[in-house]
Amino acid sequence: MSGAKHNNGKLFVISAPSGAGKTTLVREIMSADPSLRFSVSYTTRLQRHNEVEGQAYHFISKESFNRMLAHGDFLEHAEVFDNNYGTSRHSVTELLDSGSNVLLEIDWQGAEQVRRNMPECETIFILPPSISELEKRLRGRATDSDDVIARRMGDSLADLGHWAHFDYAVINDELAQAVGALQTIIAGNGEAHKTTANSIKNAAKQLLN
C-alpha cells in the first residue's frame, strides 16, 4: 500500500493515545529526515508557556475555527478534551504537490476522516509498552491535576481499542527502536509492523488484557 500521492509526495498519519509518546517520536523522526514535512494543526486549546505559535499548533479562537470549518477548510477535525483540532486541507495538499512526504500527528478520529478523504494515505498507531508505563508518562508531565490525569487515562485506554483500524503499529518502548520502526515504514519496508502481523497482534493483545 502506498501513501497518498501528489507528484511523489506521500501522506503518513500518526496517531496514539495520550501518553504514548508520539510527539517525541515525530520530533525525532523529523530531525533524522529533513525531507519530511510536518503539517501544523489548528487548535482552540490554550497555548502553553513552552509552545511557539506555528510550530506546535496554530492557536486560534473557537469563532475562527468554526469559520474555517464552515468553509470546508479542514481535511479532518475533532474535539478532544473540550478543545477543537483541525488539519488544513490546503496546507497538506500544497506540501504533497511539492513532492514532499508529509506527517500528520492527529488522534484516531482525525485519522479516520483523513482515510476517507485520502484513502491512499498510510496510517500508523503508536502503542505504549504497558498500561502502567502509559500512566507513568501521563503523570510525568507534571502539568495536569489528578482529575485531568484520570480523565486522560480513561480516554487513552479507550483510544487503544482503535489500534487495529490502522495500517501499522509501533510499540514505543525504546525510543531509538521506535524511531527506527517508523523510518522503516516510511521507507516502504514496514511489513513486520503491519497490524495484521502476528507479532503486532500478540503485543497488542498482551497490552490490552
Side-chain angles (χ1 to χ4, degrees), residues 131-199:
I131 300 301
S132 60
E133 179 62 23
L134 182 69
E135 183 172 7
K136 179 182 176 182
R137 290 175 182 176
L138 286 173
R139 292 190 177 280
R141 294 176 175 178
T143 58
D144 297 319
S145 66
D146 285 344
D147 287 345
V148 170
I149 290 172
R151 181 180 174 186
R152 286 185 180 274
M153 190 66 189
D155 287 340
S156 292
L157 292 176
D159 290 350
L160 282 171
H162 297 276
W163 72 272
H165 299 158
F166 287 70
D167 299 315
Y168 302 93
V170 171
I171 300 169
N172 187 16
D173 189 359
E174 295 295 331
L175 180 61
Q177 291 181 3
V179 170
L182 283 174
Q183 290 173 323
T184 298
I185 293 168
I186 290 172
N189 303 310
E191 290 295 319
H193 302 286
K194 280 188 172 292
T195 51
T196 53
N198 286 333
S199 59

Coordinates of all heavy atoms in Angstrom, one line a residue, residues 131-199:
I131 N 0.3 -0.6 30.2 CA -0.6 0.4 30.7 C 0.0 1.2 31.9 O -0.2 2.4 32.0 CB -1.9 -0.4 31.2 CG1 -2.5 -1.1 30.1 CG2 -2.9 0.6 31.9 CD1 -2.9 -0.2 28.9
S132 N 0.8 0.5 32.7 CA 1.5 1.2 33.8 C 2.5 2.2 33.3 O 2.6 3.3 33.9 CB 2.2 0.2 34.7 OG 3.2 -0.5 34.0
E133 N 3.2 2.0 32.2 CA 4.1 2.9 31.6 C 3.3 4.1 31.0 O 3.7 5.3 31.1 CB 4.9 2.3 30.5 CG 5.9 3.2 29.9 CD 7.0 3.8 30.8 OE1 7.2 3.2 31.9 OE2 7.5 4.9 30.5
L134 N 2.1 3.8 30.5 CA 1.3 4.9 29.9 C 0.9 5.9 31.1 O 1.0 7.1 30.9 CB 0.0 4.3 29.3 CG -1.0 5.2 28.7 CD1 -0.4 5.9 27.4 CD2 -2.3 4.5 28.3
E135 N 0.5 5.3 32.2 CA 0.1 6.2 33.3 C 1.3 7.0 33.9 O 1.2 8.1 34.2 CB -0.6 5.4 34.4 CG -1.0 6.2 35.6 CD -1.9 5.4 36.6 OE1 -1.9 4.2 36.5 OE2 -2.4 6.1 37.5
K136 N 2.4 6.3 33.9 CA 3.7 6.9 34.4 C 4.0 8.1 33.5 O 4.4 9.2 34.0 CB 4.8 5.9 34.4 CG 6.1 6.5 34.9 CD 7.2 5.4 34.8 CE 8.6 6.0 35.1 NZ 9.7 4.9 35.0
R137 N 3.9 8.0 32.2 CA 4.2 9.1 31.3 C 3.2 10.2 31.5 O 3.6 11.4 31.4 CB 4.2 8.6 29.9 CG 5.4 7.6 29.6 CD 5.3 7.0 28.2 NE 6.4 6.1 27.9 CZ 6.5 5.4 26.8 NH1 5.6 5.5 25.8 NH2 7.5 4.5 26.6
L138 N 2.0 9.9 31.7 CA 1.0 11.0 31.9 C 1.3 11.8 33.1 O 1.2 13.0 33.2 CB -0.4 10.4 31.9 CG -1.0 9.9 30.5 CD1 -2.4 9.2 30.8 CD2 -1.2 11.1 29.6
R139 N 1.6 11.0 34.2 CA 1.9 11.7 35.5 C 3.2 12.4 35.4 O 3.4 13.5 36.1 CB 1.9 10.7 36.6 CG 0.5 10.1 36.9 CD 0.5 9.3 38.2 NE -0.8 8.8 38.5 CZ -1.8 9.5 39.0 NH1 -1.5 10.8 39.4 NH2 -3.0 9.1 39.2
G140 N 4.1 12.0 34.6 CA 5.5 12.6 34.5 C 5.5 14.0 33.9 O 6.4 14.7 34.0
R141 N 4.4 14.3 33.2 CA 4.3 15.6 32.6 C 4.2 16.8 33.6 O 4.7 17.9 33.4 CB 3.0 15.7 31.7 CG 3.1 14.8 30.5 CD 1.8 14.9 29.7 NE 1.9 14.1 28.5 CZ 0.9 14.0 27.6 NH1 -0.3 14.6 27.9 NH2 1.0 13.3 26.5
A142 N 3.7 16.4 34.8 CA 3.6 17.4 35.9 C 2.9 18.7 35.6 O 3.2 19.7 36.2 CB 5.0 17.6 36.5
T143 N 2.0 18.6 34.6 CA 1.3 19.9 34.2 C -0.2 19.8 34.4 O -0.9 20.7 34.3 CB 1.5 20.2 32.7 OG1 1.1 19.0 31.9 CG2 3.0 20.4 32.4
D144 N -0.7 18.6 34.8 CA -2.1 18.3 34.9 C -2.5 17.9 36.3 O -1.6 17.3 37.1 CB -2.6 17.3 33.9 CG -2.4 17.7 32.5 OD1 -2.6 18.8 32.2 OD2 -1.9 16.8 31.7
S145 N -3.7 18.2 36.7 CA -4.2 17.8 38.1 C -4.5 16.3 38.0 O -4.6 15.7 37.0 CB -5.5 18.6 38.4 OG -6.5 18.2 37.5
D146 N -4.7 15.7 39.2 CA -5.1 14.3 39.3 C -6.4 14.0 38.5 O -6.5 12.9 37.9 CB -5.2 13.9 40.8 CG -3.9 13.7 41.4 OD1 -2.8 13.7 40.7 OD2 -3.8 13.7 42.7
D147 N -7.3 14.9 38.6 CA -8.6 14.7 37.9 C -8.4 14.7 36.4 O -9.0 13.8 35.7 CB -9.6 15.8 38.3 CG -10.1 15.7 39.7 OD1 -10.0 14.6 40.3 OD2 -10.7 16.7 40.2
V148 N -7.5 15.6 35.9 CA -7.3 15.6 34.5 C -6.5 14.4 34.0 O -6.8 13.8 33.0 CB -6.5 16.9 34.1 CG1 -6.0 16.8 32.7 CG2 -7.3 18.1 34.3
I149 N -5.5 13.9 34.9 CA -4.8 12.7 34.6 C -5.7 11.5 34.5 O -5.6 10.7 33.6 CB -3.7 12.5 35.6 CG1 -2.6 13.6 35.4 CG2 -3.1 11.1 35.4 CD1 -1.5 13.6 36.5
A150 N -6.6 11.4 35.5 CA -7.6 10.3 35.5 C -8.4 10.3 34.2 O -8.7 9.2 33.6 CB -8.4 10.4 36.7
R151 N -8.9 11.5 33.8 CA -9.7 11.6 32.6 C -8.9 11.2 31.4 O -9.4 10.5 30.5 CB -10.2 13.0 32.5 CG -11.1 13.2 31.2 CD -11.6 14.6 31.2 NE -12.3 14.9 29.9 CZ -12.8 16.0 29.5 NH1 -12.6 17.1 30.3 NH2 -13.4 16.2 28.4
R152 N -7.7 11.7 31.3 CA -6.8 11.4 30.2 C -6.5 9.9 30.1 O -6.5 9.3 29.0 CB -5.5 12.2 30.2 CG -5.7 13.6 29.9 CD -4.3 14.3 29.8 NE -4.4 15.7 29.5 CZ -4.5 16.2 28.3 NH1 -4.4 15.4 27.2 NH2 -4.6 17.5 28.0
M153 N -6.3 9.3 31.3 CA -6.0 7.9 31.3 C -7.2 7.1 30.8 O -7.1 6.1 30.0 CB -5.7 7.4 32.8 CG -5.2 6.0 32.9 SD -3.6 5.8 32.1 CE -3.4 4.1 32.3
G154 N -8.4 7.4 31.2 CA -9.6 6.8 30.7 C -9.8 6.9 29.2 O -10.1 5.9 28.6
D155 N -9.6 8.1 28.7 CA -9.7 8.3 27.3 C -8.6 7.6 26.5 O -8.8 7.1 25.4 CB -9.6 9.8 27.0 CG -10.9 10.6 27.4 OD1 -11.9 9.9 27.5 OD2 -10.8 11.8 27.6
S156 N -7.4 7.5 27.1 CA -6.3 6.8 26.5 C -6.6 5.3 26.3 O -6.3 4.7 25.3 CB -5.0 7.0 27.2 OG -4.5 8.4 27.1
L157 N -7.1 4.7 27.4 CA -7.5 3.3 27.4 C -8.5 3.1 26.3 O -8.5 2.0 25.6 CB -8.0 2.9 28.7 CG -6.9 2.9 29.8 CD1 -7.6 2.5 31.2 CD2 -5.8 1.9 29.5
A158 N -9.5 4.0 26.2 CA -10.5 3.8 25.1 C -9.9 4.0 23.7 O -10.2 3.2 22.8 CB -11.6 4.9 25.3
D159 N -8.9 4.9 23.6 CA -8.3 5.1 22.3 C -7.5 3.9 21.8 O -7.4 3.6 20.6 CB -7.3 6.3 22.4 CG -8.1 7.6 22.5 OD1 -9.3 7.6 22.3 OD2 -7.4 8.6 22.7
L160 N -6.9 3.1 22.8 CA -6.1 2.0 22.5 C -6.9 0.9 21.7 O -6.4 0.2 20.9 CB -5.6 1.3 23.7 CG -4.4 2.0 24.4 CD1 -4.1 1.4 25.8 CD2 -3.1 1.9 23.5
G161 N -8.2 0.9 21.9 CA -9.1 -0.1 21.2 C -9.1 0.1 19.7 O -9.7 -0.7 19.0
H162 N -8.6 1.2 19.2 CA -8.7 1.5 17.8 C -7.4 1.1 17.0 O -7.4 1.4 15.8 CB -9.0 3.0 17.5 CG -10.3 3.4 18.1 ND1 -11.5 3.3 17.4 CD2 -10.6 4.0 19.3 CE1 -12.5 3.8 18.2 NE2 -12.0 4.2 19.3
W163 N -6.5 0.5 17.6 CA -5.2 0.3 17.0 C -5.3 -0.6 15.7 O -4.6 -0.4 14.7 CB -4.2 -0.4 18.0 CG -4.6 -1.8 18.3 CD1 -5.5 -2.3 19.2 CD2 -4.2 -3.0 17.6 NE1 -5.6 -3.6 19.2 CE2 -4.8 -4.1 18.2 CE3 -3.3 -3.2 16.5 CZ2 -4.6 -5.4 17.7 CZ3 -3.1 -4.5 16.0 CH2 -3.7 -5.6 16.7
A164 N -6.2 -1.6 15.8 CA -6.4 -2.5 14.6 C -6.9 -1.9 13.4 O -6.9 -2.5 12.3 CB -7.2 -3.7 15.0
H165 N -7.5 -0.6 13.5 CA -8.0 0.0 12.3 C -6.9 0.7 11.5 O -7.2 1.3 10.4 CB -9.0 1.1 12.7 CG -10.2 0.5 13.5 ND1 -11.0 1.2 14.3 CD2 -10.7 -0.8 13.5 CE1 -11.9 0.5 14.8 NE2 -11.8 -0.7 14.3
F166 N -5.7 0.7 12.0 CA -4.6 1.3 11.3 C -3.8 0.3 10.5 O -3.9 -0.9 10.7 CB -3.7 2.0 12.3 CG -4.3 3.2 12.9 CD1 -5.3 3.2 13.8 CD2 -3.8 4.5 12.6 CE1 -5.9 4.3 14.3 CE2 -4.3 5.6 13.2 CZ -5.4 5.6 14.0
D167 N -3.0 0.9 9.5 CA -2.2 0.0 8.7 C -1.0 -0.6 9.4 O -0.6 -1.7 9.2 CB -1.7 0.8 7.5 CG -2.8 1.4 6.6 OD1 -3.7 0.6 6.3 OD2 -2.7 2.6 6.2
Y168 N -0.4 0.2 10.3 CA 0.8 -0.2 11.0 C 0.7 0.1 12.5 O -0.1 1.0 12.9 CB 2.1 0.5 10.5 CG 2.3 0.3 9.0 CD1 1.8 1.2 8.1 CD2 3.0 -0.8 8.5 CE1 2.1 1.0 6.7 CE2 3.3 -1.0 7.2 CZ 2.8 -0.1 6.3 OH 3.0 -0.3 4.9
A169 N 1.4 -0.6 13.3 CA 1.5 -0.2 14.7 C 3.0 -0.3 15.2 O 3.7 -1.2 14.7 CB 0.7 -1.2 15.6
V170 N 3.4 0.6 16.0 CA 4.7 0.7 16.5 C 4.7 0.8 18.1 O 3.9 1.6 18.6 CB 5.5 1.9 16.0 CG1 6.9 2.1 16.7 CG2 5.7 1.8 14.5
I171 N 5.4 -0.1 18.8 CA 5.4 -0.1 20.2 C 6.5 0.8 20.7 O 7.7 0.6 20.4 CB 5.6 -1.5 20.8 CG1 4.5 -2.4 20.3 CG2 5.7 -1.5 22.3 CD1 4.7 -3.9 20.6
N172 N 6.2 1.9 21.4 CA 7.2 2.9 21.8 C 7.7 2.5 23.2 O 7.3 3.1 24.2 CB 6.5 4.2 21.8 CG 7.5 5.3 22.1 OD1 8.7 5.1 22.0 ND2 7.1 6.5 22.5
D173 N 8.6 1.5 23.2 CA 9.3 1.1 24.4 C 10.6 1.8 24.5 O 10.9 2.7 25.3 CB 9.4 -0.4 24.5 CG 9.9 -0.9 25.8 OD1 10.2 -0.1 26.7 OD2 10.1 -2.1 26.0
E174 N 11.5 1.4 23.6 CA 12.8 2.1 23.5 C 12.7 3.1 22.4 O 12.4 2.7 21.2 CB 13.9 1.1 23.2 CG 14.2 0.1 24.4 CD 14.7 0.8 25.6 OE1 15.4 1.8 25.4 OE2 14.4 0.3 26.7
L175 N 13.0 4.3 22.6 CA 12.9 5.4 21.7 C 13.6 5.1 20.3 O 13.0 5.3 19.3 CB 13.3 6.7 22.2 CG 13.2 8.0 21.3 CD1 11.8 8.2 21.0 CD2 13.8 9.2 22.0
A176 N 14.9 4.7 20.4 CA 15.6 4.5 19.2 C 15.0 3.4 18.3 O 15.0 3.5 17.1 CB 17.1 4.1 19.5
Q177 N 14.5 2.4 19.0 CA 13.9 1.3 18.2 C 12.6 1.7 17.6 O 12.3 1.4 16.4 CB 13.6 0.1 19.1 CG 14.9 -0.6 19.6 CD 14.6 -1.8 20.5 OE1 13.4 -2.2 20.7 NE2 15.7 -2.5 21.0
A178 N 11.8 2.5 18.3 CA 10.5 3.0 17.8 C 10.8 4.0 16.6 O 10.1 3.9 15.6 CB 9.7 3.7 18.9
V179 N 11.8 4.8 16.7 CA 12.1 5.7 15.6 C 12.6 4.9 14.4 O 12.1 5.2 13.2 CB 13.3 6.7 16.0 CG1 13.8 7.4 14.8 CG2 12.7 7.7 17.0
G180 N 13.4 3.9 14.6 CA 13.8 3.0 13.5 C 12.6 2.3 12.8 O 12.6 2.2 11.6
A181 N 11.6 1.9 13.6 CA 10.4 1.2 13.1 C 9.7 2.2 12.2 O 9.2 1.9 11.1 CB 9.6 0.7 14.2
L182 N 9.5 3.5 12.6 CA 8.8 4.5 11.8 C 9.6 4.7 10.5 O 9.0 4.9 9.5 CB 8.7 5.8 12.6 CG 7.6 5.8 13.7 CD1 7.6 7.1 14.5 CD2 6.2 5.6 13.0
Q183 N 10.9 4.8 10.6 CA 11.7 5.1 9.4 C 11.6 3.9 8.4 O 11.5 4.2 7.2 CB 13.2 5.3 9.8 CG 13.4 6.6 10.6 CD 14.9 6.6 11.1 OE1 15.4 5.6 11.5 NE2 15.4 7.8 11.1
T184 N 11.5 2.7 8.9 CA 11.3 1.5 8.1 C 10.0 1.6 7.3 O 9.9 1.3 6.1 CB 11.4 0.3 8.9 OG1 12.7 0.2 9.5 CG2 11.2 -1.0 8.0
I185 N 8.9 2.0 8.1 CA 7.6 2.1 7.5 C 7.6 3.2 6.4 O 7.1 3.0 5.3 CB 6.5 2.4 8.6 CG1 6.4 1.2 9.5 CG2 5.2 2.8 7.9 CD1 5.6 1.5 10.8
I186 N 8.1 4.3 6.7 CA 8.1 5.4 5.8 C 9.0 5.1 4.5 O 8.6 5.5 3.4 CB 8.6 6.7 6.4 CG1 7.6 7.2 7.5 CG2 9.0 7.8 5.4 CD1 8.1 8.4 8.3
A187 N 10.0 4.3 4.7 CA 10.8 3.8 3.6 C 10.1 2.8 2.7 O 10.6 2.4 1.6 CB 12.1 3.3 4.1
G188 N 8.9 2.3 3.2 CA 8.2 1.3 2.4 C 8.5 -0.1 2.7 O 8.2 -1.0 1.9
N189 N 9.2 -0.3 3.8 CA 9.6 -1.7 4.2 C 9.0 -2.1 5.5 O 9.7 -2.9 6.3 CB 11.2 -1.8 4.2 CG 11.8 -1.4 2.9 OD1 11.4 -1.8 1.9 ND2 12.8 -0.5 3.0
G190 N 7.8 -1.7 5.8 CA 7.3 -1.9 7.1 C 6.4 -3.1 7.3 O 5.5 -3.2 8.2
E191 N 6.6 -4.2 6.5 CA 5.7 -5.4 6.6 C 5.6 -5.9 8.0 O 4.6 -6.4 8.5 CB 6.2 -6.4 5.6 CG 6.0 -6.1 4.2 CD 4.5 -6.0 3.8 OE1 3.8 -6.8 4.2 OE2 4.2 -5.1 3.0
A192 N 6.7 -6.0 8.7 CA 6.8 -6.5 10.1 C 6.0 -5.7 11.1 O 5.6 -6.3 12.1 CB 8.2 -6.7 10.6
H193 N 5.6 -4.5 10.7 CA 4.9 -3.6 11.6 C 3.4 -3.5 11.2 O 2.7 -2.7 11.9 CB 5.6 -2.3 11.7 CG 7.0 -2.3 12.1 ND1 7.4 -2.6 13.4 CD2 8.1 -2.2 11.4 CE1 8.7 -2.6 13.5 NE2 9.2 -2.4 12.3
K194 N 3.0 -4.2 10.2 CA 1.6 -4.1 9.8 C 0.7 -4.7 11.0 O 1.1 -5.6 11.7 CB 1.3 -5.0 8.6 CG 1.7 -4.2 7.3 CD 1.3 -5.0 6.1 CE 1.5 -4.2 4.8 NZ 0.6 -3.0 4.7
T195 N -0.5 -4.1 11.2 CA -1.3 -4.5 12.3 C -1.9 -5.9 12.0 O -2.4 -6.5 13.0 CB -2.5 -3.6 12.4 OG1 -3.2 -3.4 11.1 CG2 -2.0 -2.2 12.9
T196 N -1.7 -6.5 10.8 CA -2.1 -7.9 10.6 C -1.0 -8.9 10.9 O -1.2 -10.1 10.9 CB -2.5 -8.0 9.1 OG1 -1.4 -7.5 8.3 CG2 -3.7 -7.3 8.8
A197 N 0.2 -8.4 11.2 CA 1.3 -9.2 11.6 C 1.1 -9.9 12.9 O 0.7 -9.2 13.9 CB 2.7 -8.5 11.6
N198 N 1.4 -11.2 13.1 CA 1.2 -11.9 14.3 C 1.9 -11.2 15.5 O 1.4 -11.2 16.6 CB 1.6 -13.3 14.2 CG 0.6 -14.1 13.3 OD1 -0.5 -13.8 13.3 ND2 1.1 -15.2 12.7
S199 N 3.1 -10.8 15.3 CA 3.9 -10.2 16.4 C 3.2 -8.9 16.9 O 3.2 -8.7 18.1 CB 5.3 -9.8 15.9 OG 5.3 -8.9 14.8

